[in-house]
Amino acid sequence: MIYLDRDAQLSLVEQMLSQLAGLIQNGQLPPGSRLPSIRKLASQTGVSTATVVAAYDRLTARGLIEARAASGYFVCHHRPQAGRLPLPIPQRSELDAVWLMQQLLQRHSHVTAVGSGFMPEHWLEDMLSSRFLAQFARKGKRAYAAPGAAEGYPPLRSQLSMKLGRAGIPAPPEQLLLTFGATQAMDLICRSLLSPGDTVAVEEPAYFGLYAQLRALGMKLVGVPRLENGPDLAVLEEICSTWRPRLFFTQTLLHNPTGGSTDASTAFRLLELARRHQLLIVEDDVYGDLHPAPNPLRLAQADQLERVILVGSFSKVLSPAIRVGYIAATPELIQLFTEHKILSVLNSSELDERLVCELLTSGSFHKHLERLRARLSHHRAQAVQGLARAGLEPLQRFNGDLFIWARLPPGVELRVLVEDALENGFLLTPGDVFFLRHAPEPWLRFNAAAANDGRLFDYLEQRLGRLAARSQTLPSTLPAPLPATLPQKESAP
């Protein structure tokens, strides 16, 4: 019934979980069926009982099976059904970014967030095992009751300084500030350096949460098209000459949502442009650790933190529940950011910071990243193939990234698909939210791990054609394409 491949990149638990879930969902194990006992299935498949226990526990958590005292494990009679999320989709022409972030952070047993920005939970469990957490909890109990330093846990700042140093970025501890993830880091930078009404330059497309943050703070946003090799420097030059933005926000490595990385030539020309126009650059590096190259070029490395403010986070690769991010910048800027941090949250969580420090000093962090990269490469290749077979057009230029940027086929209205998918148990991330106005074409962002799901491929293959026909009978609500050139002065901020 179950075949396990010990040479596969997926763990034995993941293989067993996937196969059992498939047997249940396709009806081969109907409701009420009794599963083999833990010892029997372990014997049949040649694995330890701990492997079977882990797989059964995850199936139970998903609501697919239930444990009955003294009887064993049985397939549930009432398995989770697809349905709408508690909050309705906003009735605006574009999907609200805050609403989407709220849904991506919630856990819905009946909905799979196939466009999430987080790693699958079971990919992170090995790094945060119960044994490790128990050992960590026994260390330094008294320290957990004391307030942490405003700048962040000193040993972690030292570890982080060494980590950045290996990447060629000179960041001594006094040039580092620990934060509640990258979101707070961006907030501190904006509140410290900007005032309502200031103009900032942002890549387009780019992370929708950044757009929402900047708009909430009253900033005027001007978009710089993201090209295959990085930001469009001709457009940025024109923006700097005309609007004189205070900051430019960019992702050098594994850009969200397209997955591309800025090449060396573009990076150095961008830094020269910044020097000419006295422009500060905020480099978002939250996915940089996943880059497959051994030492990819970051702007902060080429600039040596003169005009670049580097923002990073451990939440993406360790756990979204561990809110530890950081800012690397000049000593003067770090002092300014620290003052704003004190006035907003006083200090960050030293408990989380100690946990991250323990993971870094244990020597297992590097191996953990290698496992994540291998899994991403495997799942991404399969997800790209599955999405293409289902009728989408995924970009395939980049490897190893968490995200897949895919174009919808002609005739399918984006909002119609998002609403229909939600009714069928899939939360999609529409491309519109990654643009300041509207996407020139209907795009979707997929999580390479979460989207590697046969149920999703089957749904898309069955529904895309029908939705295209349905969209042709409805009044068109798709916006006009973005102009190919920079907006005229009267229509820009």
Side-chain angles (χ1 to χ4, degrees):
M1 182 171 65
I2 300 295
Y3 170 74
L4 303 179
D5 181 3
R6 283 171 168 75
D7 295 325
Q9 292 184 331
L10 291 178
S11 69
L12 296 176
V13 173
E14 290 171 332
Q15 293 181 56
M16 183 173 291
L17 171 68
S18 176
Q19 292 182 48
L20 286 172
L23 292 171
I24 293 171
Q25 289 163 348
N26 65 23
Q28 290 182 260
L29 285 175
S33 299
R34 181 176 179 176
L35 272 67
S37 70
I38 292 172
R39 293 187 181 278
K40 182 176 181 180
L41 186 56
S43 175
Q44 290 175 345
T45 55
V47 299
S48 68
T49 56
T51 298
V52 181
V53 168
Y56 279 7
D57 284 348
R58 293 182 192 177
L59 289 169
T60 302
R62 293 186 182 185
L64 295 175
I65 67 173
E66 60 182 353
R68 299 178 187 174
S71 298
Y73 289 87
F74 294 81
V75 177
C76 291
H77 284 277
H78 302 288
R79 298 198 298 273
Q81 300 296 317
R84 287 190 175 275
L85 297 182
L87 293 179
I89 293 179
Q91 294 303 310
R92 295 166 21 181
S93 59
E94 73 274 14
L95 287 167
D96 184 84
V98 176
W99 175 88
L100 183 57
M101 286 190 285
Q102 185 175 3
Q103 302 315 307
L104 291 173
L105 289 171
Q106 292 181 359
R107 295 182 179 181
H108 300 285
S109 60
H110 56 280
V111 174
T112 302
V114 294
S116 167
F118 301 123
M119 295 287 180
E121 294 178 21
H122 59 279
W123 285 23
L124 306 174
E125 290 172 353
D126 292 343
M127 194 67 177
L128 296 171
S129 66
S130 299
R131 180 180 178 183
F132 170 81
L133 291 174
Q135 292 175 344
F136 168 73
R138 287 194 293 268
K139 293 184 178 180
K141 294 181 181 178
R142 294 182 179 179
Y144 305 149
E151 299 84 357
Y153 184 47
L156 177 55
R157 290 164 62 211
S158 296
Q159 283 290 323
L160 183 54
S161 176
M162 289 188 287
K163 179 177 182 294
L164 293 177
R166 289 191 292 271
I169 301 172
E174 58 269 22
Q175 288 186 240
L176 292 167
L177 174 67
L178 301 182
T179 63
F180 278 112
T183 301
Q184 192 205 20
M186 293 294 188
D187 186 71
L188 291 175
I189 291 169
C190 293
R191 292 182 184 277
S192 301
L193 301 179
L194 301 171
S195 299
D198 283 348
T199 298
V200 296
V202 294
E203 291 182 311
E204 191 175 18
Y207 174 49
F208 53 84
L210 174 63
Y211 292 166
Q213 269 190 306
L214 293 170
R215 284 167 170 156
L217 293 171
M219 307 306 155
K220 296 177 181 178
L221 280 60
V222 182
V224 178
R226 177 78 187 196
L227 307 179
E228 183 174 347
N229 60 345
D232 189 327
L233 298 186
V235 173
L236 180 58
E237 181 88 54
E238 186 177 348
I239 288 173
C240 289
S241 299
T242 306
W243 306 111
R244 300 189 182 281
R246 301 290 304 277
L247 297 174
F248 173 49
F249 294 84
T250 184
Q251 271 190 300
T252 306
L253 301 178
L254 302 183
H255 174 260
N256 176 12
T258 67
S261 295
T262 302
D263 63 22
S265 173
T266 303
F268 284 107
R269 288 188 292 124
L270 172 57
L271 293 174
E272 176 57 33
L273 185 155
R275 280 189 283 271
R276 288 199 311 271
H277 292 278
Q278 297 298 298
L279 177 69
L280 286 178
I281 299 174
V282 180
E283 182 177 20
D284 181 350
D285 193 46
V286 296
Y287 293 107
D289 280 336
L290 298 175
H291 198 283
N295 189 24
L297 178 68
R298 294 170 171 85
L299 291 174
Q301 176 189 354
D303 175 74
Q304 301 288 282
L305 294 179
E306 290 184 11
R307 304 207 65 82
V308 173
I309 302 169
L310 181 69
V311 173
S313 173
F314 292 97
S315 300
K316 303 298 184 184
V317 296
L318 289 180
S319 168
I322 299 177
R323 305 303 302 162
V324 177
Y326 60 87
I327 305 173
T330 64
E332 296 78 14
L333 286 177
I334 290 297
Q335 178 59 36
L336 182 60
F337 300 151
T338 302
E339 292 171 3
H340 278 264
K341 178 183 175 182
I342 292 172
L343 293 175
S344 60
V345 295
L346 196 63
N347 63 347
S348 44
S349 169
E350 185 167 303
L351 182 60
D352 277 1
E353 292 167 0
R354 284 174 174 265
L355 178 59
V356 172
C357 187
E358 187 72 17
L359 289 168
L360 291 181
T361 56
S362 70
S364 58
F365 182 70
H366 180 68
K367 293 181 179 179
H368 172 67
L369 290 180
E370 289 181 340
R371 287 195 300 269
L372 289 183
R373 294 185 194 114
R375 283 174 165 175
L376 273 179
S377 179
H378 173 74
H379 279 263
R380 180 183 175 82
Q382 291 193 338
V384 166
Q385 293 175 4
L387 293 172
R389 286 196 303 269
L392 296 177
E393 299 178 45
L395 291 184
Q396 301 185 46
R397 296 191 300 268
F398 314 113
N399 295 313
D401 186 30
L402 178 62
F403 299 119
I404 299 171
W405 191 230
R407 184 188 292 111
L408 288 181
V412 178
E413 190 168 345
L414 182 60
R415 185 185 181 88
V416 173
L417 176 62
V418 171
E419 291 179 343
D420 185 83
L422 190 55
E423 293 176 350
N424 286 274
F426 299 104
L427 177 60
L428 301 178
T429 304
D432 257 8
V433 297
F434 298 94
F435 287 80
L436 294 179
R437 289 163 289 175
H438 291 284
E441 298 178 80
W443 294 93
L444 288 168
R445 185 193 77 176
F446 290 96
N447 180 305
N452 186 21
D453 186 334
R455 295 174 302 122
L456 173 66
F457 305 150
D458 291 342
Y459 161 76
L460 290 172
E461 187 173 4
Q462 294 168 7
R463 299 297 288 169
L464 286 177
R466 297 178 187 177
L467 291 175
R470 175 183 169 187
S471 296
Q472 292 173 3
T473 66
L474 297 175
S476 177
T477 59
L478 283 178
L482 287 174
T485 59
L486 190 69
Q488 298 299 310
K489 188 169 183 178
E490 59 267 23
S491 64

